[in-house]
Amino acid sequence: MEKTRMQQTAETGMTDVWNDSCSLSELEYAIANGAVGATTNPVIVLNVLKKEMNLWEERICQMVEEMQEATEDDIAWKLIEEMGLRGAEKLMLVFEREKGMKGRLSMQTNAKYYRSCDSIVRQAVHFAGLAPNIQVKIPVTKAGIQAIEEATYRGVNINATVSFTVPQAIAVAEAVERGLRRRETEGMDTKQMTPVCTIMVGRTDDWIKEAGKEAGVLIDPECYEWAGVAVAKKAYRLYRERKYRTRLLFGALRNHYHWSELTGGDVVLTIPHGWQVRINESDIEVKERMEDPVNERYIKTLLEKIPDFGKAYDEDGMGIDEFDGYGATKKTLRSFLEGYAELVSVIRGFMIKK
C-alpha cells in the first residue's frame, strides 16, 4: 500500500511529526500516519472539548461533585491535566518503543504566569511528575527564559512556546544548555532529556503581515508567506553550527511551506489534524527541503521594509528584555488568555447551572 504524505514526512531525513492536539480520535489518526508526539494548551483543550463534549460531560460533572471546595480554575486545570494524560497514555507505546526519546505529550503552563519564573517552574515540575512522557510548555518571555533553565536543571523536558524569532530560539537553547550543564556538574543524568524549542512560523507570518499593514508598505505578497520559513531556516542553521542539544519544533501552519519547506531536517513538525488530512490528500511531493535557501529577494525586501522582521530574523534583533513586548508575543499571550477564560466559562456553566 502506498504511504501517505504524512507517513512519508515522518520517514524523511530526521524529521518527527507531532499531532497539534490531544484529541484522542485525532491522535489515533496521527499515530497511524507516523506521529510520535502531541501537544496541548488551554485553547486546544477548549477546542477538543467543543468537539468531544460527549466524552467529557459526565467527567466534568463528577469533578464538580467530587471537588466540593474547588474553584472553576481548579476544575479547569484538573480537566486540562486529565485530557493531557489520556493523550500521554495513547503515546506510551511510542515512548516505550523509542526508549523515552519520543512519544511525549506537551502540557502547557498557565499563560497567566508569563511574568513569574517561580510560578512557571512550580507548575512545570508538577506536570512533569504526572506521567513519564510529559513534556512541559513554557513561554519564551523574560521570566520564561529563567524558568526554562531552572526547569531543565530540575529534570523537566521543556517545550519552549510563544516563540517566533531567532533571538528567542537562541535564548532558549542557551538557557537549556545552562540547565543541562548544572545537572551534569552535580552528576545528574541528561541522557533522557529531549528539550524542544517551538517557532510558531505561522504566527510569525501573521505578525509580519500586520506590521507591514501598519507601516503602510506595499510589497510582493509572496514575501510575507516566507517570513516564518526564513526565520525557521536561519535558526536551524545556527542550532546545527552550535550543536545545541535542543531540537527546533515548527508549528502554527498557515500555508504548506510551513510543512513542505521544513521537512527533512532534525526537527519536529507539529501539525493540526485538518492540515494532516489536507496534506495527505495533496499532490505536493514530500522531499528534503530544510536546507534549501529562501529567496534572498524576499528576505532583503522584508528587512528593508518591515523593521519587526529584522527583530525576528537577526540573531541580535532583540534582547531578552524585549521578548515580552514583541507584537507576536503580545497577540499570542492575549489569545491564550482569552481561550483560557472561555474554557473557565464553560466550567462555570457546569458549576452554576441556569
Side-chain angles (χ1 to χ4, degrees):
M1 182 181 296
E2 184 178 356
K3 292 182 178 179
T4 67
R5 292 285 189 271
M6 292 309 307
Q7 289 170 332
Q8 293 172 44
T9 300
E11 296 176 3
T12 301
M14 299 181 69
T15 302
D16 285 339
V17 173
W18 287 8
N19 186 59
D20 200 21
S21 169
C22 58
S23 162
L24 295 184
S25 60
E26 293 177 1
L27 187 50
E28 287 177 359
Y29 178 91
I31 292 172
N33 281 272
V36 293
T39 186
T40 185
N41 60 44
V43 176
I44 290 173
V45 167
L46 174 65
N47 291 333
V48 171
L49 192 60
K50 289 177 178 178
K51 295 176 186 175
E52 302 179 354
M53 181 61 81
N54 62 308
L55 300 178
W56 290 98
E57 187 169 8
E58 182 179 351
R59 178 58 187 137
I60 296 172
C61 290
Q62 288 175 347
M63 291 180 193
V64 172
E65 185 63 29
E66 294 166 0
M67 302 168 66
Q68 286 290 321
E69 297 187 13
T71 67
E72 55 196 20
D73 293 277
D74 295 333
I75 294 173
W77 280 101
K78 180 67 172 174
L79 174 64
I80 290 167
E81 289 183 12
E82 290 197 9
M83 197 175 282
L85 287 172
R86 287 195 188 184
E89 183 178 0
K90 190 70 89 172
L91 286 161
M92 189 56 71
L93 286 177
V94 177
F95 184 74
E96 292 172 348
R97 183 191 74 211
E98 300 293 335
K99 297 180 171 49
M101 302 309 291
K102 299 179 184 180
R104 294 185 180 272
L105 185 287
S106 287
M107 195 174 290
Q108 184 161 309
T109 53
N110 193 336
K112 291 183 177 181
Y113 296 160
Y114 74 94
R115 299 202 307 174
S116 173
C117 172
D118 290 346
S119 297
I120 294 170
V121 171
R122 186 164 51 249
Q123 191 174 39
V125 171
H126 168 69
F127 284 165
L130 295 176
N133 61 332
I134 294 294
Q135 197 110 2
V136 181
K137 299 173 82 170
I138 295 176
V140 188
T141 56
K142 180 180 179 180
I145 292 297
Q146 295 174 298
I148 285 166
E149 177 184 342
E150 183 62 26
T152 298
Y153 165 68
R154 297 193 192 189
V156 176
N157 285 283
I158 66 97
N159 176 354
T161 187
V162 192
S163 174
F164 322 90
T165 70
V166 172
Q168 287 176 296
I170 296 300
V172 168
E174 293 289 349
V176 170
E177 291 298 320
R178 291 193 296 272
L180 292 174
R181 286 195 294 268
R182 287 169 61 192
R183 285 184 65 81
E184 291 163 345
T185 297
E186 297 183 18
M188 291 187 284
D189 182 48
T190 60
K191 293 185 179 63
Q192 293 297 304
M193 304 286 286
T194 60
V196 297
C197 175
T198 295
I199 295 180
M200 307 175 87
V201 287
R203 287 180 178 265
T204 303
D205 283 4
D206 292 346
W207 177 246
I208 299 307
K209 289 174 183 177
E210 188 166 331
K213 182 177 180 181
E214 289 179 359
V217 300
L218 183 62
I219 61 175
D220 180 350
E222 189 69 4
C223 295
Y224 290 122
E225 305 305 321
W226 288 89
V229 172
V231 167
K233 292 196 176 199
K234 182 170 184 180
Y236 181 71
R237 176 175 59 78
L238 293 171
Y239 266 48
R240 299 279 281 182
E241 289 174 357
R242 298 173 188 183
K243 297 181 170 54
Y244 290 134
R245 286 177 279 185
T246 302
R247 294 179 82 196
L248 283 166
L249 180 153
F250 303 126
L253 275 71
R254 297 293 189 269
N255 61 53
H256 80 75
Y257 302 148
H258 300 153
W259 152 69
S260 60
E261 284 291 327
L262 303 175
T263 295
D266 184 8
V267 300
V268 178
L269 302 180
T270 181
I271 303 178
H273 176 73
W275 272 99
Q276 292 178 45
V277 173
R278 291 173 67 185
I279 289 168
N280 279 339
E281 294 175 351
S282 76
D283 57 4
I284 299 169
E285 182 183 3
V286 179
K287 65 178 184 179
E288 295 192 25
R289 294 188 178 92
M290 190 69 219
E291 302 287 351
D292 293 353
V294 175
N295 189 319
E296 282 293 334
R297 180 173 63 83
Y298 299 155
I299 295 173
K300 185 173 183 291
T301 298
L302 290 168
L303 286 171
E304 289 178 350
K305 300 293 185 179
I306 305 174
D308 270 23
F309 179 73
K311 293 180 181 180
Y313 186 76
D314 294 335
E315 180 181 349
D316 300 320
M318 286 191 294
I320 292 173
D321 289 346
E322 298 175 85
F323 291 171
D324 294 26
Y326 189 62
T329 301
K330 292 190 291 185
K331 285 182 68 69
T332 301
L333 284 173
R334 190 176 294 113
S335 72
F336 283 172
L337 291 166
E338 290 170 353
Y340 172 68
E342 185 177 349
L343 174 63
V344 170
S345 73
V346 172
I347 300 300
R348 187 180 304 133
F350 280 89
M351 297 176 73
I352 306 174
K353 298 185 182 295
K354 295 181 180 179

